[in-house]
Amino acid sequence: MRNLDEHTITQAVLARNAQPDNERLREIMTSLVQHLHAFARETHLTEAEWETGIEFLTAVGQICTPQRQEFILLSDTLGLSTLVTAQNHKKPEGCTEATVFGPFHVQGAPSFDLGADISTGLPGTPWFVKGQVRDIHGAPVPHAVIEVWQADEAGFYDVQKPAGVAGDYQGRAVLQADAYGHYHFKTIVPECYPIPHDGPVGKMLEALNRHPWRPAHLHFMIVSPDHERLVTHVFREGGEYLDSDAVFGVRSSLIAEWQRHEPGTDPYGNPIDQLFYTLDFDFVLNPRSR
Ligand code: BEZ
Ligand code: FE
């Protein structure tokens, strides 16, 4: 194939890609090439702009480490993560909605008994969280595995702190609901935070006059053998940034009241000399499709 020009190049690439062993790969690459080429045509992309794009993607790759996932941030801030999540988790009415996974989940979080303080020494306002895991018919889902992770009162996850400051894990835990689907634990109230914005994605947001902030939230991942895995957050009613989340993750059904209480007695019946918050949030799992 020679003398390809702006009118013939797309078809030539598609023809060259036409014979992979994997049919799904062929489908995805065909669509990707068509959309990339259409984008360059539609915008009349200049060589300088194309180089800027290459430099940007290079910087996105170069800043990535096992602790820093800039490509997830890019996908999140462009709404791609929310699109992929939404189209892969269409559920019956009544099921808890899923939202973005984010880059701050880590494998190997410690297991705690129900009722434990999972903040492991983080300073902050005490927060008592409880609820029930149920199925679509309202029956309890026994013994679901519930993983939680959260930012601290300054808006930082443990993995964002210098090694040794946070210990191994803080503000993350694996719990198991009881036989009636109930779960409960103690932690501290997490605050709003800006997504990491000292890299290329931060520069992109700045160039677009966008802020990097996320509304306060608590992450949950709930796993039970007969149900679809649920990855979601619970957001704070009345909190800032609910309508301008930098990563487009807010869903009305995931906003709940984080109730404020005066000092006195905590939900476990223990005396408490500072104000504290409680959250009561139930989850409804979607049956696994067979
Ligand atoms: C998070 O909620 O942890 C998160 C999600 C997307 C981008 C950055 C952070
Ligand atoms: Fe988060």
Side-chain angles (χ1 to χ4, degrees):
M1 249 173 246
R2 295 187 182 176
N3 307 323
L4 294 165
D5 62 21
E6 63 179 295
H7 304 293
T8 54
I9 179 67
T10 305
Q11 207 39 52
V13 178
L14 295 182
R16 188 78 59 87
N17 286 349
Q19 303 298 331
D21 295 333
N22 181 331
E23 172 55 24
R24 178 67 174 153
L25 177 64
R26 192 197 62 74
E27 185 183 353
I28 287 173
M29 290 304 295
T30 298
S31 180
L32 182 66
V33 167
Q34 283 171 331
H35 282 86
L36 271 178
H37 287 210
F39 157 75
R41 286 194 182 93
E42 187 181 308
T43 58
H44 298 283
L45 198 67
T46 68
E47 284 173 301
E49 289 162 345
W50 174 79
E51 265 171 41
T52 302
I54 296 282
E55 281 164 14
F56 172 74
L57 289 175
T58 303
V60 169
Q62 283 172 338
I63 202 171
C64 286
T65 67
Q67 286 77 37
R68 174 76 182 250
Q69 231 308 349
E70 196 79 356
F71 277 106
I72 292 185
L73 289 183
L74 182 59
S75 166
D76 292 343
T77 51
L78 294 181
L80 182 61
S81 306
T82 286
L83 170 59
V84 172
T85 299
Q87 71 181 2
N88 283 284
H89 296 279
K90 293 177 192 145
K91 302 179 195 210
E93 185 76 26
C95 287
T96 305
E97 293 186 278
T99 189
V100 291
F101 199 81
F104 291 129
H105 174 263
V106 298
Q107 298 292 339
S111 294
F112 286 91
D113 290 336
L114 292 176
D117 180 350
I118 67 140
S119 67
T120 53
L122 281 173
T125 306
W127 195 28
F128 297 87
V129 180
K130 73 176 174 72
Q132 188 185 30
V133 185
R134 291 192 298 268
D135 70 15
I136 190 75
H137 308 294
V141 173
H143 307 304
V145 174
I146 301 175
E147 192 161 348
V148 294
W149 64 105
Q150 67 168 99
D152 64 14
E153 63 172 356
F156 291 106
Y157 286 82
D158 53 1
V159 289
Q160 294 177 284
K161 299 173 191 173
V165 172
D168 281 344
Y169 298 98
Q170 274 185 323
R172 51 182 86 240
V174 180
L175 302 144
Q176 191 165 29
D178 68 17
Y180 302 98
H182 291 121
Y183 72 90
H184 53 104
F185 59 93
K186 180 184 177 196
T187 184
I188 55 146
V189 174
E191 284 302 332
C192 308
Y193 61 84
I195 62 168
H197 58 112
D198 56 344
V201 170
K203 282 202 188 108
M204 177 190 82
L205 294 181
E206 205 178 307
L208 294 169
N209 286 323
R210 280 174 55 179
H211 73 69
W213 287 84
R214 297 215 66 205
H217 60 272
L218 176 61
H219 292 259
F220 283 86
M221 177 158 70
I222 304 185
V223 175
S224 158
D226 295 331
H227 297 88
E228 186 187 318
R229 184 182 80 163
L230 174 65
V231 174
T232 196
H233 311 348
V234 179
F235 296 93
R236 181 178 193 160
E237 175 79 65
E240 257 186 292
Y241 308 113
L242 286 169
D243 289 310
S244 65
D245 180 8
V247 304
F248 307 98
V250 179
R251 315 202 65 78
S252 302
S253 67
L254 302 177
I255 301 173
E257 194 182 346
W258 300 13
Q259 245 192 329
R260 185 178 186 276
H261 302 265
E262 294 304 319
T265 307
D266 78 16
Y268 293 103
N270 298 317
I272 183 163
D273 60 5
Q274 60 185 129
L275 69 85
F276 63 98
Y277 282 78
T278 56
L279 169 68
D280 195 345
F281 198 87
D282 297 343
F283 297 94
V284 178
L285 302 186
N286 191 20
R288 194 183 280 285
S289 44
R290 303 252 172 219

